[in-house]
Amino acid sequence: MLAKNLKVPASTFDKVPKRAPYIFQTGLPGDLKLEQHQAAQVTGVAPRSFAFSTSQMKSNKVTPGGEVKIVDSKNFPVTPIATAIVKLKPGGLRELHWHPNADEWQYYISGKGRMGVFAVGTRTRTMAFQAGDVGYVLQSHPHYIENTGDTDLVLLEMFASDHYEDISLAEWMSHTPHQLIDQHPHVSRKMIDAIPKTRW
């Protein structure tokens, strides 16, 4: 069928592996411009790019504790997923927050850190992470990430959603009626009134 479909002799496929090699050793790729030219012959270049250079983008948020770059369908329209590249300086904290639209998958690229996750009631778990580790947080579960090392902590967050969305505890508290908030933890209206109305 392949030979007929591609109009070549059937013997062309005699050396095709019986099982997919999946990961294997091979030579280095050729010249990129030549490969792009070959791919664009007759039909032209694909109308949308399937590459996104995060190294060329500015951070979405920069604070004294670190920075984040967010890539989702707003700036990379071909993707149905959202991602954030988080960099925390030593001692930096990714504030307590949750994601209302998707579970969070994490890959720790460099550094050392700690993550605390809160579930229903008083159920919590705190875990240590380092380069090469993977983390996971269920949708809408509050969590924080803290750099516990002496170098930058860099991690990749992935979401099965076409847009990035999060809510910080401070943001939620500052925009909820302060009397209502104070009736539960009894931390004082003065403390609640002092919470910044914008992202830390």
Side-chain angles (χ1 to χ4, degrees):
M1 181 53 74
L2 281 173
K4 188 173 183 180
N5 185 76
L6 298 173
K7 298 179 176 38
V8 295
S11 60
T12 303
F13 303 100
D14 287 349
K15 294 182 181 176
V16 171
K18 301 294 182 215
R19 299 175 66 137
Y22 191 64
I23 296 174
F24 57 95
Q25 198 69 33
T26 186
L28 293 173
D31 179 68
L32 178 60
K33 292 212 179 297
L34 177 61
E35 289 187 2
Q36 288 172 334
H37 173 73
Q38 290 170 343
Q41 288 181 2
V42 182
T43 57
V45 177
R48 296 190 295 175
S49 176
F50 290 86
F52 187 91
S53 184
T54 54
S55 62
Q56 305 297 316
M57 77 178 284
K58 290 183 179 178
S59 296
N60 296 74
K61 184 78 173 173
V62 178
T63 71
E67 60 188 76
V68 65
K69 293 180 179 182
I70 297 170
V71 180
D72 63 12
S73 60
K74 294 177 193 121
N75 54 4
F76 190 28
V78 297
T79 186
I81 60 171
T83 186
I85 302 169
V86 179
K87 183 188 292 185
L88 294 174
K89 294 180 180 176
L93 177 71
R94 171 64 170 102
E95 65 181 331
L96 187 59
H97 67 285
W98 57 92
H99 304 278
N101 63 331
D103 295 352
E104 176 180 332
W105 292 80
Q106 305 164 340
Y107 178 73
Y108 288 79
I109 298 169
S110 63
K112 292 182 180 181
R114 175 184 309 145
M115 176 172 63
V117 180
F118 301 83
V120 178
T122 58
R123 294 174 50 205
T124 65
R125 179 161 293 164
T126 304
M127 300 142 283
F129 291 91
Q130 62 185 9
D133 288 346
V134 174
Y136 178 74
V137 182
L138 288 169
Q139 178 178 342
S140 296
H141 277 52
H143 58 287
Y144 68 87
I145 301 169
E146 182 179 16
N147 184 338
T148 57
D150 53 8
T151 61
D152 285 350
L153 173 65
V154 181
L155 68 136
L156 177 69
E157 301 174 348
M158 301 287 293
F159 306 90
S161 171
D162 68 346
H163 66 283
Y164 179 88
E165 196 174 315
D166 71 351
I167 300 170
S168 77
L169 177 64
E171 180 181 30
W172 176 78
M173 288 177 73
S174 69
H175 294 286
T176 301
H178 294 186
Q179 180 180 349
L180 176 65
I181 294 288
D182 189 41
Q183 289 171 346
H184 294 273
H186 303 290
V187 293
S188 86
R189 286 284 299 272
K190 184 177 179 183
M191 177 266 182
I192 297 166
D193 291 344
I195 296 173
K197 304 289 185 284
T198 58
R199 291 295 179 93
W200 294 8

